[in-house]
Amino acid sequence: MKFMLIHTLDESAFPNEEECGVPVELESWATEMVGRGIELDGARLHPVSSATSVRRRDGRTLVVDGPFAETKEQVAGYDLLECRDLDEAIAVAAAHPTTAVGSIEVRPLEDGAPTVDLPEPDPARQRYLLLICAAMGAAPVEDAAHADRDPGHDPGHPGHDSDQDDDEDIDRWVDDLDSRGVRLFGWPLQHPSTAVTVSRPNGRTMTVDGPFAETKEQIAGYDLLECTDLDEALAAAAAHPVASFGTVEVRPLWAS
Amino acid sequence: MTDDVALAFGEEWGRLVAGLIGWCGDWDLAEECAAEAFAAAVVAWPRDGRPDRPMAWLTTVARNRARDRIRRRTTESARHDALARLIDQAVQPPAEVGTGGVDDPEIADDRLRLIFTCCHPALPMPARIALTLRTLCGLTSAEIARAFLVTEPTMDKRLVRARAKIRQAAIPYRVPPSELLPERLDGVLAVVYLLFNEGYAASSGESLLRVDLTTEAIRLARLVHGLLPTADEATALLALLLLTDARRAARLRDGEIVPLPDQDRALWDASRTREAELLLRGSSGHTGPYAVQSRIALCHNLSERPEDTDWATIAALYSLLPATPVTELNRAVAVAMVDGPAAGLALAAPLEGDLGAYHLFHATLADFHTRLGDPAAAAISLRAAITLAPTPAERRLLRRRLAGLSLGMTE
């Protein structure tokens, strides 16, 4: 089962982030988790000042500096894990050095995520994490009507009756980016009500039910892109079906 | 700075920085080396004479400094190695400085790329303005900080962050492709327009006219118009700024604001109005917001006396602008001049919900009430306007009106 770890930090507590290298604990965590076959992908993001949010309203694309929501802690990185169950994912998150200084939201991916097979980074291009965000409504009711529904690429937006149309829109978006070699990976996350947030403020692991911040919009899915420049990433974000009612946050990755 | 160098700085800074960024892709390095090239010119030009081709001279010196810096960096990352290799390959060994060794085509005019990147919508607006003033106009961060009433460290941080975002998020250094161009050009013009307004009517503080910012805004508007001569809105914006600036000398008397009808029109700069009139020739069919605003401004500037103003045309022009509450308020003023204050009041009063916190809304209502012979209502509106006015000079103007009103009442 796949889980996304969403690392969050209060960046103002780390004024010279750009100058600090990769801490030793991070290296050893990554080495261990890759070795155990748990870590499939992961990256640190540039500071939130490099974030851009894209929305499409009334046929117009709105590009705004900043993240999808103004929260005290900001998304600083992510990992994609393959774990037996939630408890293993929580333990893996708790062992990550981020929990000493910030917190990690653990979110299961919707079923059916493809195999992760990422190419080597192209040094001439920039990688971006697209956080697909939308107001999510209440947790979905688990009943027979939902059980057989293929989640597809739909990042699960509520109040939309035409789920099938939405699936088709998302498929078109994915096909277009994939055919141009722009999109490397992406999948919807399960509802934020499934989230667990892990931190280790004084050496003791704390596990809290729910996402890292109670914001109107929540992260509903993500996509990893490799683009020639920000304009290409912004165009992809603006074309995402969720951009017409939610927000797509575009974050550049550190070159590993 | 010697006169020659100062002159070259004003003319060439933006082009030098823009060209260097295009050449090496590193904004910090480009600015540092451009500054060093001008510092070298301060020493060399008085001694050896001003070179025949100052731009070529400055570019050669700046590129040499950039190469030196890249080689000297001891903690060189792979990226810098690659950059150094790239530069060595791309650039011919420099000819002797001062003989104009750099070919002109090589020093492409990259200022258009620079301004589109500085005004990229992914950057916060204050950063767009600061970056434009720093890289294109050559203002120091201390000067920009002063103009925007923030501390120098705050302004430094803003600039550092903006450059970091350009680098980290890979904001492209280019003139946008045609499908993005109209929208992005709007963004560039908005920065220039904001800059001018900031300089013309400081939104806060005692110093009412910040001449530097209006001058820089006009310089930038000229630059954009010069580089994109067929862009109607860029032309119109330049005209609008010139027409507004033409009234500058008449706008203040003894440190106090003088409203348009009371201004001494002999002080208006007729040459600026003429230049704008030429720019706007043949634009009567254009309905872009700057085109319409500039034609409204031209109506005012061409009226020798306030009573000559063609208010009917102005009212018609306002109805061409997107119907925002502020536009509607201005239209109400024009309609009141044509059809009387009652007609103006009927248009303006319903805007209370949107403009209740805007001092000029209440000042306008006060004017209508006064002309309708209702000084009591006018006084109420003026008091509201005084409470809301953002600058001391505007508050003083409104208080004078209120005092005039009481005088009228007691008579």
Side-chain angles (χ1 to χ4, degrees):
Chain A
M1 189 172 183
K2 289 189 176 63
F3 293 85
M4 185 183 194
L5 301 190
I6 303 165
H7 299 255
T8 67
L9 284 175
D10 177 2
E11 275 181 14
S12 58
F14 304 89
N16 295 316
E17 210 213 346
E18 219 176 319
E19 283 151 33
C20 73
V22 177
V24 182
E25 312 95 85
L26 184 59
E27 289 250 11
S28 61
W29 182 92
T31 309
E32 180 194 337
M33 299 312 165
V34 170
R36 286 165 60 189
I38 286 174
E39 166 86 348
L40 305 177
D41 176 36
R44 188 174 159 199
L45 305 179
H46 279 296
V48 74
S49 54
S50 69
T52 308
S53 291
V54 180
R55 299 176 182 88
R56 212 173 59 249
R57 300 288 186 273
D58 306 322
R60 280 180 59 94
T61 298
L62 311 168
V63 174
V64 183
D65 170 69
F68 76 96
E70 292 295 338
T71 50
K72 186 165 166 286
E73 297 195 318
Q74 301 288 352
V75 179
Y78 76 98
D79 286 287
L80 179 63
L81 310 182
E82 179 72 54
C83 290
R84 267 192 320 279
D85 52 29
L86 180 64
D87 280 354
E88 187 178 47
I90 289 173
V92 169
H96 194 284
T98 292
T99 52
V101 288
S103 48
I104 297 179
E105 178 179 331
V106 182
R107 281 277 285 281
L109 269 65
E110 293 271 15
D111 293 338
T115 318
V116 182
D117 182 20
L118 299 180
E120 282 297 304
D122 178 346
R125 301 209 292 170
Q126 171 68 42
R127 287 190 174 183
Y128 299 89
L129 184 72
L130 263 50
L131 295 170
I132 316 296
C133 306
M136 301 291 286
V141 183
E142 287 297 331
D143 61 24
H146 287 83
D148 61 350
R149 211 188 81 209
D150 177 1
H153 297 94
D154 191 329
H157 33 97
H160 280 245
D161 296 327
S162 54
D163 280 349
Q164 201 174 352
D165 290 350
D166 291 345
D167 286 351
E168 281 171 17
D169 287 346
I170 304 247
D171 285 344
R172 254 197 304 279
W173 183 81
V174 166
D175 290 345
D176 173 52
L177 293 183
D178 285 359
S179 69
R180 291 188 284 128
V182 166
R183 183 175 165 279
L184 305 178
F185 185 81
W187 204 250
L189 304 179
Q190 289 191 32
H191 194 273
S193 61
T194 63
V196 171
T197 298
V198 182
S199 59
R200 197 160 23 98
N202 297 308
R204 279 192 50 202
T205 301
M206 270 182 44
T207 311
V208 181
D209 173 58
F212 80 93
E214 293 295 342
T215 49
K216 189 171 139 275
E217 291 186 326
Q218 290 286 338
I219 301 170
Y222 84 95
D223 288 275
L224 180 64
L225 306 187
E226 194 173 73
C227 302
T228 49
D229 56 42
L230 182 65
D231 279 349
E232 189 177 26
L234 295 180
H240 195 288
V242 171
S244 66
F245 59 91
T247 303
V248 179
E249 179 179 332
V250 180
R251 295 289 298 271
L253 270 58
W254 283 80
S256 47
Chain B
M1 232 186 266
T2 64
D3 288 350
D4 275 344
V5 180
L7 190 67
F9 188 86
E11 287 172 358
E12 308 286 21
W13 167 270
R15 227 179 117 204
L16 180 62
V17 171
L20 290 169
I21 294 172
W23 173 71
C24 72
D26 184 328
W27 288 57
D28 298 293
L29 188 68
E31 276 183 32
E32 285 163 16
C33 295
E36 285 187 16
F38 276 102
V42 171
V43 178
W45 293 10
R47 187 188 61 212
D48 309 333
R50 185 174 186 269
D52 293 340
R53 297 153 74 217
M55 187 61 189
W57 191 97
L58 290 163
T59 302
T60 304
V61 173
R63 285 184 180 184
N64 284 337
R65 296 295 164 97
R67 279 188 211 94
D68 290 347
R69 272 168 180 260
I70 290 166
R71 292 205 187 88
R72 256 187 284 129
R73 279 177 190 170
T74 47
T75 55
E76 276 183 272
S77 66
R79 188 167 149 269
H80 280 128
D81 283 342
L83 186 62
R85 271 199 303 280
L86 189 81
I87 287 172
D88 282 341
Q89 284 162 11
V91 179
Q92 307 289 317
E96 197 155 314
V97 166
T99 60
V102 182
D103 289 336
D104 278 346
E106 229 185 292
I107 317 165
D109 193 332
D110 279 331
R111 284 176 299 179
L112 201 54
R113 290 162 81 186
L114 184 55
I115 196 168
F116 274 108
T117 306
C118 288
C119 300
H120 196 280
L123 295 169
M125 186 52 95
R128 285 181 227 171
I129 291 171
L131 210 53
T132 304
L133 287 173
R134 174 78 198 105
T135 56
L136 265 161
C137 305
L139 267 61
T140 64
S141 68
E143 288 169 325
I144 306 169
R146 243 193 334 273
F148 287 91
L149 309 172
V150 301
T151 64
E152 204 181 328
T154 302
M155 186 51 73
D156 275 334
K157 207 167 146 192
R158 195 175 286 174
L159 286 164
V160 166
R161 274 209 175 155
R163 288 193 208 98
K165 180 157 186 178
I166 291 170
R167 190 175 61 245
Q168 292 164 346
I171 293 179
Y173 187 61
R174 64 167 184 187
V175 177
S178 54
E179 72 270 17
L180 283 175
L181 192 60
E183 175 195 330
R184 293 285 168 88
L185 180 60
D186 286 351
V188 167
L189 299 181
V191 165
V192 176
Y193 184 68
L194 257 173
L195 194 58
F196 183 85
N197 279 340
E198 187 65 38
Y200 195 74
S203 56
S204 54
E206 185 63 45
S207 131
L208 206 63
L209 287 178
R210 295 189 215 158
V211 178
D212 280 348
L213 291 186
T214 56
T215 308
E216 294 303 338
I218 291 175
R219 204 146 74 89
L220 283 167
R222 272 192 207 288
L223 175 67
V224 177
H225 166 64
L227 295 170
L228 293 169
T230 58
D232 298 332
E233 280 287 272
T235 309
L237 177 61
L238 174 58
L240 175 61
L241 301 192
L242 289 169
L243 289 164
T244 313
D245 196 57
R247 302 182 214 130
R248 186 165 68 182
R251 193 169 170 264
L252 284 184
R253 194 183 297 139
D254 305 324
E256 301 297 330
I257 300 176
V258 185
L260 189 61
D262 306 335
Q263 287 179 8
D264 176 359
R265 298 186 178 212
L267 295 176
W268 288 3
D269 183 345
S271 68
R272 298 223 132 175
T273 299
R274 241 187 334 270
E275 189 188 351
E277 198 178 7
L278 283 175
L279 285 167
L280 292 175
R281 187 162 286 174
S283 73
S284 56
H286 300 163
T287 53
Y290 297 122
V292 174
Q293 287 182 72
S294 60
R295 279 155 62 204
I296 293 170
L298 187 62
C299 276
H300 288 301
N301 285 34
L302 290 179
S303 308
E304 280 183 29
R305 297 168 307 163
E307 54 269 35
D308 300 335
T309 310
D310 182 357
W311 288 105
T313 299
I314 290 175
L317 285 168
Y318 271 116
S319 63
L320 292 176
L321 288 170
T324 67
V326 172
T327 312
E328 283 300 289
L329 183 66
N330 285 322
R331 194 165 71 89
V333 172
V335 167
M337 298 303 288
V338 182
D339 300 333
L345 189 59
L347 280 177
L351 303 169
E352 169 104 53
D354 290 310
L355 298 177
Y358 183 45
H359 64 293
L360 292 181
F361 168 72
H362 298 283
T364 305
L365 288 195
D367 181 48
F368 294 160
H369 288 311
T370 308
R371 285 157 61 190
L372 285 167
D374 187 352
I380 293 170
S381 294
L382 275 173
R383 287 201 186 90
I386 290 164
T387 314
L388 295 164
T391 64
E394 281 171 291
R395 283 195 286 277
R396 285 198 298 273
L397 170 67
L398 293 163
R399 282 206 194 90
R400 284 199 302 278
R401 279 196 196 159
L402 184 61
L405 205 59
S406 332
L407 268 170
M409 280 168 76
T410 50
E411 269 166 14

